[in-house]
Amino acid sequence: MSGILDHLAIGFGVAFSLTNVLVAMIGSFIGTMVGVLPGLGPVNGVAMLIPIAFAMNLPPETALILLAAVYVGAEYGGRITAILLNVPGEASAIMTTLDGYPLARQGLASVALSLSAWSAFFGAIVSVVGIILLAPLLAKWALAFGPAEYFVLMIFAFCCLTSLLGKQPVKGVLAAMIGLSISVVGVDANSGVYRYTFESVHLADGIEFVVVVIALFAVSEMLEMLEKVMSGHSVEVKPSGRKLFNLKEMALTWWSVVRSSLVGFGVGVLPGAGASVAAAVAYSQEKRIIEAKDPEAKFGKGDMRGLVAPEAAATASAIGSFVPMLTLGVPGSGTTAVMMGALTLYNITPGPVLFDTKPELVWGLIASLFVANVLLFVMNVPMVRFFAKVLSVPGWLMVPGILCISYIGVYAINAGTFDLLLVAGIGALGYFLRKFGVPMAPLVLGVVLGNMMEQNLRRALSMTDGDVAVLFASPVSIAMWVGAAAVVIVPQIMRRMRAAKKLAAGPA
């Protein structure tokens, strides 16, 4: 324990230097702004700042602190538009829209934003403490996950979606299948075969995630708002009342935040799993736990526990993804992969020896993650009132404004007009799917997880010459298969038992 305290003393000594505190503050602010803009996200934000940091000749620990602050800032910023406008700034904010946006429409935008900031802050602190205490042990645990285990993890994540499907699971499965179909468009990375491109060179690289998420959330949402305006209905939201959550709401959501933070950190430690998986698993876990106790819970309609669960999990996962990067030299997410590239510019190779050769860099980064999250919390909570003012913009101005910002984000990807046409087409499809009650969350998660599922399945089967027994070979795989079966079967049994009880109690 004394060794850890000594290392933390080194880390906070680095993090609390005037230059690094200022860099963390600037990075947190830039990250928040990057997260707010749909289509950028933390990966692009970090990538854009690497050449700037290198050109400024910053020391490696200061450069890493800047990039880490941008990362955690972008994670929070992506939730602002998800809550206010139903436009997730990045993949992990998809689950936030399910209850965050309904809360904003009910006049609780400021409360939802402050709860989001609090739960994200708590998830980050849990994750930082986890890194300090458990990094070496968790690194060894992460090594137990091979391609087969990752494939089963994705299966488990999809099975968790069954708790999001409500009373119409067929529509949810249809949405997930559409998402998986979109994820396989483009050149097959293994064989070089063109799949579902319809001889269009524009589809050779596949369909970008940003295109799908902007189309399904921003465009289809705007089409629904336009429909309401044309039919004479108002699209204005209730004015935001209270600016912060109260102690009663904090008590209501407390255990959801704690459970989701732990889930998020556990998923974050797994290289490549990502915050989107953590958010989906945490949301579905909370939905099952809460609805088992309270069948009248309003998940998907503005339940605060449904807001804090993905928020805490996604942030904890983002911070947890530093564990495999620092201890194994394996990127835990796309953003940490970019940050590893930044370290190579300084001739630094992440891995087990980094803790001994560069303790000031590793522990300075860990301490700065704590500092950056405190700065984000202190900086963003007072701005809740300002952010909520977005909802007071009249609909006739908000609709074209959101579409302009969204299309700028899409155009910035490839600087081509084909993506703009694709957004319009997929957005129209999303509008009709919404009209038929098809949920959007399983569809987008299908797009996010589809490529990872396919690649890990191929790797697992190539290692055993096509023997599917490898998917059931390890204790980790077996445990997750059992968990996947349980999350599908147990809710059905519980639902039937409740129906049987009501039927039996009916005549009395």
Side-chain angles (χ1 to χ4, degrees), residues 398-444:
M398 184 184 291
V399 172
I402 294 172
L403 287 177
C404 285
I405 295 171
S406 300
Y407 268 79
I408 289 170
V410 170
Y411 185 79
I413 303 169
N414 296 316
T417 56
F418 180 79
D419 286 337
L420 303 181
L421 297 174
L422 203 57
V423 164
I426 297 176
L429 173 65
Y431 167 74
F432 287 110
L433 289 175
R434 284 180 182 229
K435 298 300 288 184
F436 288 106
V438 177
M440 293 293 104
L443 195 159
V444 180

Side-chain angles (χ1 to χ4, degrees), residues 185-187 194-207 414 418-419 422:
V185 172
V187 178
Y194 287 80
R195 303 184 300 188
Y196 310 110
T197 59
F198 305 102
E199 298 184 355
S200 171
V201 68
H202 301 290
L203 292 174
D205 291 330
I207 299 175
N414 296 316
F418 180 79
D419 286 337
L422 203 57

Side-chain angles (χ1 to χ4, degrees), residues 448-468:
V448 172
L449 302 182
N451 186 56
M452 287 191 287
M453 281 186 70
E454 180 185 14
Q455 295 304 319
N456 282 297
L457 177 61
R458 287 192 168 194
R459 291 189 192 114
L461 294 179
S462 65
M463 290 165 58
T464 58
D465 293 328
D467 186 0
V468 295

